[in-house]
Amino acid sequence: MRAWYPYPLFSIALFLMWLLLNQSVAPGAIVVGVFLSTLLAWVMVKLQPTQSRLRRLGLMAGFALAVAADIVRSNVAVAGIILRARRRPANTGFMTVDVDLENENALALLACILTATPGTAWLEYDRRQKSLLLHVLDIDNEDLWRRTVKRYEAGLKEILQ
């Protein structure tokens, strides 16, 4: 079975998603769904995603709560920037942050966290220089943003190995 479906749960999930999106259980939709789910599972084999071990699972809940609190604070700050835009325009800009993460999954999570935070956008990561380029809506306090990214980096280093 593994010869045909290297990631069976992934294939099943893709197949079910295909059926839900097509809103049909016709024979043609089933054949195409099986074909696509098998093909995309083989594409995943070729991509060889890196495996990370979770350690210090107790920190995950605290980390998630801290990220959620930062996102709520950022929502409030962005709303304030938008509401006062006529009186004082936003000071947008680009900044670089040195990041010392080797784990690709940790980098991906950091990208998701920073992109999900209103007012920030992850633009580029330079592997050689280990430098991250961000766009920030309100760049008045660059040092605060650097400390925030470093806090996320430290948390991800502790959680992912």
Side-chain angles (χ1 to χ4, degrees):
M1 188 69 167
R2 281 255 190 229
W4 283 91
Y5 296 101
Y7 295 109
L9 292 177
F10 181 68
S11 295
I12 291 169
L14 286 174
F15 175 69
L16 292 174
M17 184 65 74
W18 176 261
L19 291 179
L20 285 172
L21 290 174
N22 278 311
Q23 297 177 351
S24 170
V25 191
I30 292 173
V31 169
V32 172
V34 168
F35 175 75
L36 284 177
S37 64
T38 306
L39 179 72
L40 291 173
W42 279 102
V43 168
M44 284 296 293
V45 168
K46 298 297 180 191
L47 290 175
Q48 289 293 318
T50 59
Q51 297 286 323
S52 291
R53 256 188 40 226
L54 292 174
R55 58 182 189 161
R56 306 208 47 195
L57 296 176
L59 293 176
M60 286 175 52
F63 183 76
L65 286 173
V67 169
D70 286 346
I71 289 174
V72 168
R73 274 194 297 273
S74 189
N75 272 306
V76 171
V78 167
I81 291 168
I82 292 169
L83 292 174
R84 71 169 196 261
R86 288 187 182 202
R87 288 179 276 139
R88 191 179 126 223
N91 184 17
T92 63
F94 298 92
M95 64 179 286
T96 59
V97 180
D98 294 330
V99 178
D100 190 33
L101 282 175
E102 297 291 330
N103 188 320
E104 291 179 5
N105 292 321
L107 281 167
L109 275 172
L110 182 62
C112 290
I113 290 167
L114 291 174
T115 302
T117 304
T120 62
W122 169 296
L123 298 179
E124 180 181 52
Y125 177 69
D126 187 346
R127 282 189 190 279
R128 283 177 282 168
Q129 295 180 358
K130 293 185 177 182
S131 175
L132 167 65
L133 177 65
L134 291 175
H135 181 268
V136 180
L137 182 62
D138 192 12
I139 201 162
D140 286 338
N141 196 348
E142 273 188 60
D143 194 43
L144 175 67
W145 284 107
R146 280 194 176 80
R147 284 194 314 266
T148 302
V149 171
K150 288 297 185 182
R151 187 168 35 94
Y152 293 155
E153 176 185 7
L156 289 170
K157 276 184 178 180
E158 287 186 42
I159 293 170
L160 291 173
Q161 185 176 9

